[in-house]
Structures are given as C-alpha cells and as structure tokens.
Amino acid sequence: WPGTAQAETVTNGYGETQFICYVPDGAVGVILSNGNGAQTEDITDFSYDGYWMDGTKNDLGHYKVTGYYEDEPITDETQPITYTPSNESFKLTDNFGWGSAYVYAWDADGNAIGGEWPGTAQAETVTNGYGETQFICYVPEGAVGVILSNGNGAQTEDITDFSYDGYWMDGTTNDLGHYKVTGYYEDEPITDETQPITYTPSNESFKLTDNFGWGSAYVYAWDADGNAIGGEWPGTAQAETVTNGYGETQFICYVPEGAVGVILNNGNGAQTEDITDFSYDGYWMDGTKNDLGHYKVTGYYEDEPITDETQPITYTPSNESFKLTDNFGWGAAYVYAWDADGNAIGGEWPGTAQAETVTNGYGETQFICYVPEGAVGVILSNGNGAQTEDITDFSYDGYWMDGTKNDLGHFKVTGYYEDAPIEPVTDDTEPTDPPVPAGSFLLTDNFGWGSAYVYAWDADGNAIGGEWPGTAQAETTTNEYGETQFICHVPEGAVGVILSNGNGAQTEDITDFTHAGYWMDGSKNDLGHFLVTAWD
C-alpha cells in the first residue's frame, strides 16, 4: 500500500484532471487512492471506460465510485447531470491567495449537488486588471445555493444570488468565521457599495526586498480614522515583482488611496513594523525586530549612494566567495556573518539568502556563498534549522558536508581547492568529491520520494561516501509507466547500501548489486524499512 503511482493524465471536457489507471496483469480487484489517506471502495469491474466519485462514502469511509462508458449517454445512473455545469457562472477574485476553488452546491430540498463537501473543483481561471487570479465558478443545474472554499478550511458564506458577474472578499467574516462576499457587475461603475475604490491601487508604490524568502507579500492599510482599506488582515496580495542586482525578489507594493499607514506581511505570520512614510523607493529588512516581534525596515532611494544609514555596505557582496555543495538537499542557503566585534553583518539570523547556483560534475547543486565585507566568520544554513559549524577560513574554493556533526549538532565541513588533486581516501581524509561509482542500479520512485540518497558501508562496517543519509543521487530516467527511476551509484568497496529519501523513509539493506533495479511494493520489515524486489 498504496500501490503504484499513476503518472498519465488527461483533461475532460469540464477541465477536470483524469488519471489513467492501469490494472496489473492477474489482478481481480483494485483500490484507488491519493497516497495520503483518501481512497475508493474496492473496484472489481474493469469493463468501464472510467469511474467518478460523487463524494458519498461507504461504512469504512471509502469513496463510492460510479462507472461509465464514454460512448454512452449520460444518465442519472451513470453520471448525474448536475456534473454538467450550467451556463450560470460567476467569478471569485482570489485576493486571499487560496490557490484553488471548490463549489459546494445544494438543491431546494437541501441535497448536495455535485458531491459532498467540498464539492467540485473549479479549473478555469482568468486574471483581472490588478494581476489577481479569478476562478470561474460554475453553478450546477438545479442548485439554489453554493459555498465557495479552498478545500482546506477557508470558505465563504452561503451564496444564493447567481445574477452577479463576480464576487470578492473584503476579509470580514460572519459569526461562523466564513468570509463575507460582495457581488459586482463588470459593466457597472465601481462604487463604495459594489467594490471599494481602495482596491484601485494609487500611483504610490514602493519595493520590498524579499531577502528573508517570504515568497508572497500582502499590504494591509488603514486610513486617518484607523479603518482598514483594501480588506481586513492580511490585506491585499501584491502580484508584481522585479529582481534586484543581487538576484533577490522585490515585491512592488501599492499603497491604497487614502492610506496613512501600511504593514507588509507574508500572509503567514511574518510582518513588518508600521510603515507611514511612502516617499522611499523601497524598503529592506535587516532581520532585527521591535518589541512586538515585527521586522524593522529601512527605506532607501534608488538614485542615492548606499551608506551605513540607508543600507549597510555589507549587503554589497565582496569578491570573496566560495561554493557550498548541497549534497543534503537543503534547497536554499543563507550566509550569516559577523565582524571582529561579534556584530552581525548582513542581517540577523539566518542572514542573507544566496541566489546564485552552479551544478558540479555529479549533478549536485552548489550555492555560491558571498562573504560580506568585514566578516571574520560565517555560518551557512538552509534557513530552516540545518546549519554548518563556524567557517572562518575563506581561502578555499568550496566546502562540502560529509554528514558528521559537532557537539552542537552543526554539520562539519571540509574545504577543498578545485585545482587540487583528489586525496586518496584514508581514515584522516575524505574525498573532496563523491566516491567513484563501482556499479549502479535503478530505484523506481513509486512512492513519490522525489529524492534518493545512497548510504554505503565497507566490509569493516565503515561508512563510504559520508555519514547518513549518504550521497544524493542526481541522475534519473523515466520508465514506460511514466515513473521516475533514480540511477543509484554504488561506491567502490561497498558491500551494502541503504536507499532513502533523506527525510525518514528508507529501504532494507541491499547487498546484491547485480540486478538492473529495485522497486518497493509498500511492505516493510520489523524495523519499518521498505522491502525491495529486484528486477532485470
């Protein structure tokens, strides 16, 4: 369990994704699942062209399915006509970053139409004049009311008037915590009653440098009377971005008309202090926070020389840099630096995100890490808990991590020179590059690991290629079923390996390297490790 991932999809006439599900030879029954808890009832009749779920479940909580033939007219028995969207539709402006929209509908008798909660996913979108996504929401035939939701906890109040061209949410909620909506007509002038003029951004704007990897930015604004403009918290999502000279994303943040102050936030807990001066070209955060835990910001003018008062010169990277090999799949790298007096340079923890990368000869990502001017030491981290030991020698071309850690639990690093010969492996040294493979085999990623590591050991039980989880494997192929297969290299001298995703899932020990590949059927041994089956 959960069986084999199905990779092929098509889209039906309603914009819904359909998985092409293959039945293995000899099977008398199948269960379909999403691999994450949701599953169908048993399916033993493979004569249908397809199955769909109306949202009802059996006593075990498994989705019931209805089979259909593609050349058979749709009937109430094969597929309810309610799944055929009527011409009745309206738009929902996604100004709170839902990312998805579902329509849950009911008829005059209170019966669900189009499936149980959260209803039917809406696939069609357009973009309005402010760069916001709008979902085209279809009202099923016979429905007298609908609720729109993101399928993950957020929902609107009941909507029973389908005459509007669209709805938007101002952020206020009713007593049940459901978003209130306001309807509008696209050919009607915007008024305070249909859509506050404050949603029309003024020409007043500034940039926010995303040097802490927020990934999204919202503007929460208020007027002279303290009233919210542009919706309740977190405000209005900002869709326009540019990239500065250091490869950092900058959000163009619009100040609503009539606003006297704004707070910038990521919509997920992080926010700036109040900003009331809109004369600057942009703001950046150095990582320090006020007593409320809100990020302090510093304004700057783009045509003004950088000074200690407007932006520390330390944000201008020096020519001093080195590479960090991302052999543990960090996916991001930050440089936290300090000067001779122990003061942070380039912002408080985790420091400055490093945007430039290259790929080494083994397909591994290497971050180019810049050392700020005046720094005497740096720590590299992924910004999410993993970090290196202190690095005070910047003369090396690069560093790599073998997986061992110091007493503080910080990754130890080994420096190397790119033009230096690779030292032989001894108890005192470790190759500056991953071990030369002695052989290889394929691992079918039918459980969606997304990454694979090889941890290997020699005849004496010593780790080869670094401590757990070993060496990341970068090469992949795709089999005839559309599944990813990792090419797993066995280091020279290894007598056994364990394959893992580097995040808790692993195979049993593999000591036979003569087979073309291995796959996992989902069964595990007493240690909870995936059993593998060889194939040639």
Side-chain angles (χ1 to χ4, degrees):
W1 181 265
T4 306
Q6 306 298 294
E8 293 181 64
T9 61
V10 294
T11 303
N12 67 12
Y14 309 119
E16 298 170 313
T17 298
Q18 294 181 303
F19 291 97
I20 301 177
C21 300
Y22 289 94
V23 179
D25 285 344
V28 297
V30 300
I31 295 171
L32 310 180
S33 77
N34 68 350
N36 195 32
Q39 70 169 78
T40 68
E41 61 186 338
D42 295 355
I43 298 174
T44 56
D45 185 350
F46 310 141
S47 66
Y48 290 103
D49 293 321
Y51 283 93
W52 63 275
M53 301 175 287
D54 67 1
T56 58
K57 299 180 180 180
N58 62 19
D59 294 339
L60 297 174
H62 302 162
Y63 284 92
K64 296 181 180 179
V65 293
T66 300
Y68 66 89
Y69 300 106
E70 292 185 340
D71 57 358
E72 181 182 75
I74 295 176
T75 68
D76 288 341
E77 286 70 35
T78 59
Q79 184 166 332
I81 196 67
T82 53
Y83 262 87
T84 303
S86 66
N87 290 325
E88 196 71 63
S89 67
F90 54 79
K91 298 173 182 174
L92 174 70
T93 302
D94 187 22
N95 56 308
F96 283 91
W98 281 7
S100 60
Y102 291 76
V103 170
Y104 173 76
W106 59 92
D107 62 21
D109 297 321
N111 299 314
I113 300 179
E116 296 301 315
W117 183 265
T120 306
Q122 307 299 296
E124 293 181 63
T125 60
V126 294
T127 303
N128 67 12
Y130 309 118
E132 297 171 313
T133 298
Q134 293 181 303
F135 292 100
I136 300 177
C137 300
Y138 288 96
V139 179
E141 292 180 354
V144 298
V146 300
I147 295 173
L148 310 181
S149 77
N150 68 349
N152 195 32
Q155 69 169 78
T156 67
E157 60 187 336
D158 294 357
I159 299 174
T160 56
D161 185 350
F162 311 140
S163 66
Y164 289 104
D165 293 322
Y167 283 94
W168 63 274
M169 302 174 284
D170 67 1
T172 58
T173 54
N174 62 19
D175 295 338
L176 297 173
H178 302 162
Y179 283 92
K180 295 181 180 180
V181 293
T182 300
Y184 65 90
Y185 300 106
E186 292 185 338
D187 57 357
E188 180 183 76
I190 294 175
T191 68
D192 287 341
E193 286 71 35
T194 57
Q195 183 165 332
I197 195 67
T198 54
Y199 265 87
T200 304
S202 66
N203 290 325
E204 196 71 61
S205 67
F206 53 78
K207 298 174 183 173
L208 174 69
T209 303
D210 187 22
N211 56 309
F212 281 91
W214 281 8
S216 60
Y218 291 77
V219 170
Y220 173 76
W222 60 93
D223 62 19
D225 297 321
N227 298 314
I229 301 178
E232 296 300 315
W233 185 267
T236 306
Q238 307 299 295
E240 294 181 63
T241 60
V242 294
T243 303
N244 67 13
Y246 308 118
E248 297 171 314
T249 298
Q250 293 181 303
F251 292 100
I252 301 177
C253 299
Y254 288 95
V255 180
E257 293 179 355
V260 298
V262 300
I263 294 172
L264 310 180
N265 68 88
N266 68 350
N268 195 32
Q271 68 170 79
T272 67
E273 61 187 337
D274 294 357
I275 299 174
T276 56
D277 185 350
F278 310 140
S279 66
Y280 289 104
D281 294 321
Y283 284 94
W284 62 274
M285 302 174 287
D286 69 0
T288 58
K289 299 180 181 180
N290 63 19
D291 294 339
L292 297 173
H294 302 163
Y295 283 92
K296 295 181 180 180
V297 293
T298 301
Y300 66 89
Y301 299 106
E302 293 186 338
D303 56 358
E304 180 183 76
I306 294 175
T307 68
D308 287 342
E309 286 71 34
T310 57
Q311 183 168 333
I313 195 66
T314 54
Y315 264 86
T316 304
S318 66
N319 290 325
E320 195 71 62
S321 67
F322 53 79
K323 297 174 183 173
L324 174 69
T325 303
D326 187 23
N327 57 308
F328 282 90
W330 280 7
Y334 290 76
V335 170
Y336 173 76
W338 60 92
D339 62 19
D341 298 321
N343 299 314
I345 301 179
E348 296 301 315
W349 183 265
T352 305
Q354 307 298 296
E356 294 180 63
T357 60
V358 294
T359 304
N360 65 13
Y362 306 110
E364 297 172 314
T365 298
Q366 294 181 304
F367 291 99
I368 301 177
C369 299
Y370 288 95
V371 180
E373 292 180 357
V376 298
V378 300
I379 295 172
L380 310 181
S381 77
N382 67 351
N384 195 32
Q387 70 170 78
T388 67
E389 60 187 338
D390 294 357
I391 299 175
T392 56
D393 185 350
F394 310 141
S395 65
Y396 289 103
D397 293 322
Y399 283 94
W400 64 276
M401 302 174 285
D402 68 0
T404 57
K405 298 181 180 180
N406 62 19
D407 295 338
L408 297 173
H410 302 162
F411 283 92
K412 295 181 180 179
V413 293
T414 301
Y416 66 89
Y417 299 106
E418 292 185 339
D419 56 358
I422 297 176
E423 298 179 6
V425 176
T426 69
D427 288 340
D428 304 314
T429 65
E430 184 85 19
T432 59
D433 293 298
V436 176
S440 64
F441 55 79
L442 301 175
L443 173 70
T444 303
D445 186 23
N446 56 308
F447 281 88
W449 280 7
S451 59
Y453 291 77
V454 170
Y455 173 75
W457 60 92
D458 63 19
D460 297 321
N462 299 313
I464 301 178
E467 296 300 315
W468 183 265
T471 306
Q473 307 298 297
E475 296 179 67
T476 61
T477 61
T478 303
N479 66 14
E480 61 186 304
Y481 307 115
E483 297 171 314
T484 298
Q485 294 180 303
F486 291 100
I487 301 176
C488 299
H489 294 282
V490 180
E492 288 184 353
V495 297
V497 300
I498 294 172
L499 311 181
S500 77
N501 67 351
N503 194 33
Q506 70 170 78
T507 68
E508 61 184 332
D509 295 356
I510 299 174
T511 56
D512 184 352
F513 310 141
T514 62
H515 297 287
Y518 285 93
W519 64 276
M520 303 173 284
D521 68 1
S523 54
K524 299 181 180 180
N525 62 19
D526 294 339
L527 297 173
H529 302 162
F530 282 92
L531 301 176
V532 293
T533 301
W535 52 270
D536 294 303

